Amino acid sequence: MLLVLASLALILADQRWQWFGQLESRVAGAATPVYWLAALPGRVWDWGDDLFTNHAALREDNARLAARNLVLAGKVQKLAFLEAEIQRLRQLLNSSTLVGESVLIAELVAVSSDPQRQWVAVDKDASQGVYVGQPVIDAHGLVGQVVQVTPGYSRILLITDATHALPVQINRNGVRTIAEGTGRIDQLALRHVAATTDIVVGDLLVSSGLGGVFPAGYPVAVVTEITEDPGQPFLIVKARPSAQLDRSRHLLLVFRASEKPDA
């Protein structure tokens, strides 16, 4: 009898504990939204803090990348300049091999600020053998002549200066004339060209060698315009200099064989 009562007691206790377990599970399930709502402010704060931190990090990365891109862009521009400079020097050196005379490479250090005067200064002087009257060329043609030599630099009068004139000849037929500067960096004028002269647009003008300043055969200009006035005995002829007077940074100072410097 006692065994039967003990068994019944165990069965009732087990059912009661199961009921309490189910009740506890239901209460816990019902309280879950409450817990989630209670924890929501903290989660929102953490999410906002992470978002702000990530946003600040992204802005910092973007600023760093923008600065790097700017530096790289500057380096690319400098590289383009250096490549162009190397190309110009290569052309200059190639032209020097075609010149029968000895040459000295000089670099521009100053340009005339007066639009009415056409001259430049280079970084060579008498210590390198530079002298007044020395011809100067670039990779494309005749530039001018040295008119002043001082310690540290020399001044070169360009062929386009209004006070400059040089004897030239038409390369195609040898007709001689005088090319005078107009004060414009891109234009020369041929004076006293007879209306019957055999000259056409596109003719190449080269130094004739007359006058003893410029050796013969250097490209000077290309004829760009010919105007004929029926009432005048002479043509109005304009030409574009062959040398890149407004671009060349390095020039060649030409020495004849008897003037070759020791250095």
Side-chain angles (χ1 to χ4, degrees):
M1 186 66 180
L2 291 175
L3 292 174
V4 172
L5 292 175
S7 298
L8 289 174
L10 289 174
I11 292 172
L12 291 174
D14 184 61
Q15 289 179 352
R16 182 176 296 177
W17 282 115
Q18 288 180 358
W19 182 81
F20 277 115
Q22 292 175 357
L23 179 61
E24 184 180 5
S25 298
R26 291 177 182 179
V27 171
T32 298
V34 177
Y35 295 148
W36 187 86
L37 289 175
L40 182 60
R43 294 180 180 179
V44 171
W45 175 265
D46 293 339
W47 175 79
D49 185 60
D50 292 342
L51 180 62
F52 178 79
T53 302
N54 293 336
H55 182 67
L58 287 175
R59 290 184 59 184
E60 188 175 328
D61 289 342
N62 287 338
R64 184 168 57 253
L65 290 175
R68 181 176 177 82
N69 286 338
L70 186 61
V71 172
L72 291 176
K75 290 183 177 180
V76 168
Q77 293 179 17
K78 186 66 174 180
L79 179 61
F81 167 78
L82 291 176
E83 289 180 349
E85 193 74 1
I86 290 173
Q87 181 63 25
R88 286 190 290 267
L89 286 173
R90 184 178 291 113
Q91 293 175 350
L92 190 66
L93 292 174
N94 288 340
S95 68
S96 68
T97 62
L98 302 177
V99 176
E101 295 80 13
S102 300
V103 294
L104 175 66
I105 297 178
E107 184 175 2
L108 262 66
V109 294
V111 179
S112 173
S113 58
D114 184 354
Q116 303 301 321
R117 298 306 307 271
Q118 304 288 320
W119 62 263
V120 298
V122 296
D123 62 346
K124 297 295 183 291
D125 56 19
S127 63
Q128 286 89 26
V130 181
Y131 60 91
V132 173
Q134 185 173 13
V136 182
I137 65 174
D138 69 0
H140 306 279
L142 196 60
V143 171
Q145 61 177 303
V146 177
V147 294
Q148 183 183 15
V149 180
T150 59
Y153 76 94
S154 298
R155 182 175 295 185
I156 299 168
L157 188 68
L158 303 182
I159 60 174
T160 51
D161 188 87
T163 64
H164 194 275
L166 72 149
V168 297
Q169 66 184 37
I170 301 174
N171 193 53
R172 176 173 56 86
N173 53 24
V175 173
R176 294 187 297 273
T177 183
I178 302 295
E180 298 180 353
T182 63
R184 289 180 48 179
I185 197 72
D186 61 344
Q187 189 177 97
L188 294 173
L190 303 185
R191 305 299 184 187
H192 306 105
V193 178
T196 57
T197 301
D198 179 14
I199 185 171
V200 296
V201 172
D203 273 343
L204 173 64
L205 306 175
V206 298
S207 55
S208 65
L210 301 179
V213 177
F214 300 103
Y218 287 109
V220 175
V222 176
V223 176
T224 56
E225 183 180 340
I226 300 174
T227 303
E228 182 177 2
D229 187 345
Q232 300 295 327
F234 301 110
L235 300 173
I236 301 175
V237 182
K238 298 179 181 179
R240 183 184 68 255
S242 298
Q244 296 183 348
L245 302 179
D246 58 345
R247 303 179 188 177
S248 296
R249 184 177 180 87
H250 294 86
L251 304 175
L252 293 177
L253 283 71
V254 180
F255 297 90
R256 293 183 175 132
S258 59
E259 303 163 340
K260 184 177 180 181
D262 295 334

